[in-house]
Amino acid sequence: MKLEDIPNLAFRQLAASLSPDLQPSSPRTFELCLRQDRLPVRISLHPDQQRVIMQAYAYDLSMVLGPLRANLLQTLLLINRAALQGRPFSVGLDNRDFVCLTRIQQLDRAIGDDFLDDLDYLLQQAEQIRVLVTNLTLQGGNMDFNPEPVLE
């Protein structure tokens, strides 16, 4: 598939602005590897044709099991809660057990510095979560996880 095959003109322009040689995987999706550690990113056109979904994949949790997995999932839920209170993005697991950070932006604001700033912020968060999960898994689960209750 080529950029010219993307029917939504604004989404096509967004893809071309990020990489003129990009080969989209579908008329509504393209993937990139960004940053020094080749962080995978998927950019998709929302079905309403008015929004863009940015997804950065931080870590493959499919081989992490037992108490360590439970602790990591609890940590990701706490990060998700904090992220929704700040510059909003969500963090969770996709159907393959990849830790995925997601942010949605209006398509009409998706070309230019605002989009690049949002994408950069999402990538920074994904890198930090990747480092966190890597460090925790290298400890082999030898950690206590007893977070303080959150007062509302």
Side-chain angles (χ1 to χ4, degrees):
M1 170 165 264
K2 297 179 182 177
L3 285 176
E4 300 81 40
D5 297 328
I6 297 176
N8 184 301
L9 180 60
F11 190 64
R12 182 183 328 144
Q13 290 172 336
L14 171 64
S17 73
L18 295 173
S19 176
D21 299 327
L22 186 75
Q23 293 184 344
S25 54
S26 80
R28 290 187 27 226
T29 302
F30 59 89
E31 288 85 15
L32 303 163
C33 281
L34 301 173
R35 302 284 175 138
Q36 293 174 340
D37 58 356
R38 308 217 17 101
L39 194 67
V41 175
R42 174 180 290 145
I43 310 287
S44 302
L45 181 62
H46 191 277
D48 69 10
Q49 305 280 315
Q50 302 299 313
R51 293 179 283 174
V52 174
I53 304 165
M54 297 176 271
Q55 296 175 297
Y57 295 89
Y59 199 89
D60 179 358
L61 272 185
S62 62
M63 299 302 289
V64 180
L65 305 171
L68 177 58
R69 181 181 178 86
N71 287 338
L72 286 170
L73 292 175
Q74 184 65 30
T75 301
L76 293 174
L77 288 172
L78 290 171
I79 291 170
N80 196 45
R81 180 177 178 163
L84 292 174
Q85 294 173 356
R87 194 168 177 181
F89 68 89
S90 61
V91 61
L93 295 181
D94 72 359
N95 61 350
R96 301 164 298 170
D97 276 349
F98 281 92
V99 176
C100 179
L101 286 76
T102 303
R103 181 165 168 74
I104 298 175
Q105 186 180 56
Q106 289 298 121
L107 180 58
D108 60 1
R109 294 184 48 234
I111 295 179
D113 291 341
D114 286 346
F115 179 79
L116 293 177
D117 287 345
D118 282 348
L119 182 58
D120 186 58
Y121 179 77
L122 191 67
L123 293 173
Q124 289 174 25
Q125 301 309 307
E127 286 175 334
Q128 291 175 3
I129 289 173
R130 179 181 276 180
V131 168
L132 172 71
V133 173
T134 299
N135 289 338
L136 293 176
T137 56
L138 288 176
Q139 291 181 15
N142 296 324
M143 63 178 191
D144 292 323
F145 189 82
N146 296 310
E148 294 296 319
V150 177
L151 300 175
E152 297 287 334

